[in-house]
Amino acid sequence: GAGVSQSPSNKVTEKGKDVELRCDPISGHTALYWYRQSLGQGLEFLIYFQGNSAPDKSGLPSDRFSAERTGGSVSTLTIQRTQQEDSAVYLCASSLTSGRLSTDTQYFGPGTRLTVL
Amino acid sequence: AQSVTQPDIHITVSEGASLELRCNYSYGATPYLFWYVQSPGQGLQLLLKYFSGDTLVQGIKGFEAEFKRSQSSFNLRKPSVHWSDAAEYFCAFRGSQGNLIFGKGTKLSVKP
C-alpha cells in the first residue's frame, strides 16, 4: 500500500493500562506527525519527527504520553496509565519534509480509535 | 495566539446548490493554508492548499478557495454540491514546526 497505515484501527482498554499505537508512514517520508482528534478539543497536534528525532515534545498532553520513531520509518505512540480523557482518535500523518516553510503535503492515516473504559 | 476559526459548525445545503465554508486565521505572517475533508470513518484528505501567488486556488472534486489577506480569510467554495460532498471540512495552516493547526471543522449535510 502506498498510504499511511495505522494499527490497531480500534483499541478498547481499561483505565490504568498502557497502550501502544503504531504508525507506518509513506516510504521515503522523513517527517511524521501525530495528532489527536476528540469531540471537545478538535484536532490537536501532539508531536512530530524529522527522521528519528523529535525536536519538541511540548505538545504531548502529559508525561504519560511518549513517542519514538526507529529507522526513520515506523513510529509508536505510547500512553501509560490510560485515563478516560485519553479516549480519542489518534491520527498519524507523514510528509516528505517538515518545517514551517515546507510545501509538502501531509498525508493522513485512517487513525486509531482509542476507548478507555 | 495562532488559531483558525471556522464559524459554522454545521451547514445544510441542497444538492446542486452552491457552497461556501468560512475560515479565518490568526497568524503573524502570511501562513500556508489548507483545506482538508474527512468523510465518516475516513482519514483526512487534502482538498487544496495555498502558499503564495494567485489567491484563487483550485482543488480536487471541483472545490476552490480564495485567500484574502485583508480579511485573514481562506473560504472554500463549490458551485454545485453533490450528495457525496457530505463530510466534515477542516481549514488549517502550517505552524512553526510544520504541523497543521486546524479549525474545529464544519460539518456539511446535503439535502436531496
Side-chain angles (χ1 to χ4, degrees), chain A residues 3 16 23-24 29 47 61-62 64 86 90 97-98 105 117:
Chain A
C23 172
D24 275 282
H29 281 193
I47 191 170
S62 76
R64 296 184 294 104
D86 299 334
Y90 290 81
T97 63
S98 63
T105 296
L117 302 176

Side-chain angles (χ1 to χ4, degrees), chain B residues 19 35-40 42-48 58-64 76-89:
Chain B
L19 171 70
W35 275 99
Y36 278 82
V37 61
Q38 186 176 39
S39 299
Q42 304 288 316
L44 289 156
Q45 181 183 22
L46 180 68
L47 284 176
L48 47 76
Q58 303 296 320
I60 62 170
K61 304 184 181 187
F63 286 92
E64 66 178 26
L76 182 71
R77 300 194 294 247
K78 186 169 185 178
S80 177
V81 169
H82 188 261
W83 64 266
S84 60
D85 293 325
E88 191 156 19
Y89 292 79

Side-chain angles (χ1 to χ4, degrees), chain A residues 33 35 37 40-45 48 55-56 58 91 95 98-110, chain B residues 27 29-32 34 36 38 41-44 46 49 51 88 90 94-104:
Chain A
Y33 301 83
Y35 297 86
Q37 185 173 26
Q41 301 298 320
L43 275 154
E44 302 172 84
F45 166 65
Y48 92 99
D56 185 346
S58 62
L91 294 168
S95 65
S98 63
R100 187 178 71 82
L101 299 180
S102 170
T103 59
D104 295 319
T105 296
Q106 285 189 24
Y107 295 90
F108 282 80
Chain B
Y27 191 68
T30 299
Y32 289 179
F34 306 83
Y36 278 82
Q38 186 176 39
Q42 304 288 316
L44 289 156
L46 180 68
K49 55 190 177 183
F51 301 133
E88 191 156 19
F90 293 91
R94 179 149 281 154
S96 58
Q97 299 181 61
N99 57 299
L100 295 172
I101 297 172
F102 287 92
K104 297 286 190 188

